[in-house]
Amino acid sequence: MVSMSTPHTATSVRLLVLAVQLVLLVCGSQASNDTKRCKLFSESPAERKVLSLLEPLTNKTFSVATTSGKESYTYQFQVCGDAGKTVGAGLVQIDHTEKESETVLGLYTATQAIGGSDWVMLIYSNGTKYDGHCSKEMRKAIVMISCNRGVEMGKLEVVLEERERDRDCFYLFELDSSAVCPALPSQLSAGSIILIIGFVLLSVYLICGFLYQRLIVGAKGVQQFPNYVFWTQVGNLAADGCNFVCRTQGPEEEPPTYRGVSTEPEEQPEERDDHLLPM
């Protein structure tokens, strides 16, 4: 009985372990509040790419406290995550004068993302409605995230609350981060890169050739230099190549030179008049 039930038990244990691993994997993926949790008004690859720049800022709550007269507020902000007690609220305002009441300034389920060369504008909409301002429209929060290479995650700052208009009121915040900084261009020119590659290849050639000549071939002295015979003949080969390229025609004939009139009489050939003598 025991031997028959053992294989079945082992299979059950394996299935249980597999199920636990799947559950942990799913829970882990759900617990990671990355930028995919943000829902865009109009899904587009461009805005989704801008949001991906803010991935290093996820899973962190940024907060700032302000005091104006008797009013005291704390603002809390998260990138694509719950900043307060309200599910889906990316930016909230906590009023310390009214029993810690929480006002939603914007939902990350209603997000817009606009990106520039070194900044990202994150807009959360559909917040709590105004009571007597801005035609009682829903609140909207704008977070301006600017490039600062010296700061990984800066401090959240309140810039202003624009509510003295009939429509399109908003809260404006600022945040510095190196996450939105563009990649630094390479300081090396194309010529420098080519020279470096050439130097590396030459070094590898000399070192490997020296080791081969010494350890494998057993050469001594200057014979350890790779391709020693070839390099000793480089000068002659270069001269032959130059001669072949530059001298494309055969040897030219010397142009006829001018010969002046001789002052001395030329020696006349001896005339033979033997035939005029009498026999």
Side-chain angles (χ1 to χ4, degrees), residues 87-139:
V87 177
L91 210 157
V92 297
Q93 179 192 64
I94 301 173
D95 190 350
H96 298 292
T97 60
E98 294 187 8
K99 298 181 181 180
E100 306 296 322
S101 62
E102 182 176 286
T103 302
V104 178
L105 304 186
L107 303 176
Y108 62 83
T109 54
T111 302
Q112 289 178 276
I114 304 172
S117 59
D118 58 352
W119 55 269
V120 170
M121 182 184 293
L122 190 64
I123 304 174
Y124 289 155
S125 302
N126 295 353
T128 304
K129 291 184 177 181
Y130 285 98
D131 294 331
H133 301 281
C134 304
S135 302
K136 296 183 179 181
E137 69 178 8
M138 292 183 176
R139 286 174 168 83

Side-chain angles (χ1 to χ4, degrees), residues 28-245:
S29 61
Q30 292 179 349
S32 60
N33 297 333
D34 56 10
T35 55
K36 294 181 180 178
R37 293 192 61 181
C38 279
K39 294 182 180 179
L40 300 172
F41 273 118
S42 178
E43 187 70 30
S44 68
E47 286 193 65
R48 189 58 65 180
K49 183 178 180 180
V50 171
L51 274 176
S52 66
L53 298 175
L54 306 180
E55 194 73 30
L57 304 180
T58 57
N59 303 318
K60 177 177 175 57
T61 300
F62 300 87
S63 62
V64 57
T66 62
T67 302
S68 177
K70 296 182 180 180
E71 297 180 344
S72 178
Y73 301 102
T74 296
Y75 297 90
Q76 294 181 345
F77 162 67
Q78 271 206 22
V79 177
C80 301
D82 296 329
K85 300 176 182 179
T86 305
V87 177
L91 210 157
V92 297
Q93 179 192 64
I94 301 173
D95 190 350
H96 298 292
T97 60
E98 294 187 8
K99 298 181 181 180
E100 306 296 322
S101 62
E102 182 176 286
T103 302
V104 178
L105 304 186
L107 303 176
Y108 62 83
T109 54
T111 302
Q112 289 178 276
I114 304 172
S117 59
D118 58 352
W119 55 269
V120 170
M121 182 184 293
L122 190 64
I123 304 174
Y124 289 155
S125 302
N126 295 353
T128 304
K129 291 184 177 181
Y130 285 98
D131 294 331
H133 301 281
C134 304
S135 302
K136 296 183 179 181
E137 69 178 8
M138 292 183 176
R139 286 174 168 83
K140 177 172 64 176
I142 301 174
V143 182
M144 191 70 180
I145 306 172
S146 303
C147 168
N148 188 341
R149 297 189 184 278
V151 178
E152 182 179 0
M153 297 182 184
K155 295 182 179 180
L156 184 68
E157 296 182 4
V158 182
V159 179
L160 62 91
E161 177 189 0
E162 180 56 75
R163 63 179 185 179
E164 303 302 326
R165 54 171 69 180
D166 294 334
R167 292 189 176 278
D168 295 327
C169 298
F170 60 89
Y171 293 78
L172 181 61
F173 300 85
E174 285 185 343
L175 178 67
D176 290 342
S177 174
S178 59
V180 298
C181 293
L184 291 174
S186 176
Q187 300 296 327
L188 297 177
S189 62
S192 301
I193 295 175
I194 292 174
L195 289 177
I196 292 174
I197 294 175
F199 178 77
V200 171
L201 293 177
L202 179 61
S203 301
V204 172
Y205 165 75
L206 292 176
I207 295 173
C208 295
F210 174 82
L211 294 176
Y212 176 81
Q213 291 292 110
R214 182 178 180 86
L215 302 178
I216 305 301
V217 180
K220 301 294 183 181
V222 295
Q223 298 295 331
Q224 298 174 91
F225 194 86
N227 302 110
Y228 174 75
V229 177
F230 169 78
W231 292 113
T232 56
Q233 298 178 355
V234 167
N236 294 333
L237 294 175
D240 293 341
C242 182
N243 184 46
F244 175 78
V245 173

